[in-house]
Amino acid sequence: MHKQFTPEEQIRRAFDMIQIKNVMARHAYLHAASRHDIEYALLWSHDQENISWGNMMGFPMIGQKAIWEGYVE
């Protein structure tokens, strides 16, 4: 059985999906332009040390320093 969302929940979920799509579009654009420095500044968390970057092969970069050195530089 599917959960029935209130109108407020439906609006919030729709808004959240748009925001996620916006972040993904920015990522795709900046990544394609090889502007990982701007992507890192705008889209990555800077308040947490335990961020990670991964792909189909796993999570080769864990932590702010590793991502900066491996993805941005």
Side-chain angles (χ1 to χ4, degrees):
M1 179 166 245
H2 294 288
K3 179 182 182 333
Q4 296 296 318
F5 294 104
T6 66
E8 292 80 12
E9 289 173 323
Q10 291 174 350
I11 291 168
R12 183 70 213 189
R13 289 170 60 89
F15 177 80
D16 290 346
M17 280 196 301
I18 291 168
Q19 295 305 320
I20 291 166
K21 288 179 181 183
N22 287 340
V23 170
M24 289 304 300
R26 286 186 190 129
H27 158 71
Y29 175 81
L30 293 168
H31 184 73
S34 294
R35 292 307 313 255
H36 301 137
D37 56 335
I38 297 172
E39 178 188 351
Y40 183 81
L42 294 177
L43 303 180
W44 288 78
S45 173
H46 300 281
D47 297 335
Q48 300 294 317
E49 175 55 34
N50 63 346
I51 62 173
S52 62
W53 181 91
N55 58 25
M56 295 185 323
M57 303 305 287
F59 288 91
M61 292 176 243
I62 299 172
Q64 298 278 351
K65 184 179 179 192
I67 291 172
W68 181 262
E69 292 173 353
Y71 186 69
V72 178
E73 291 181 343

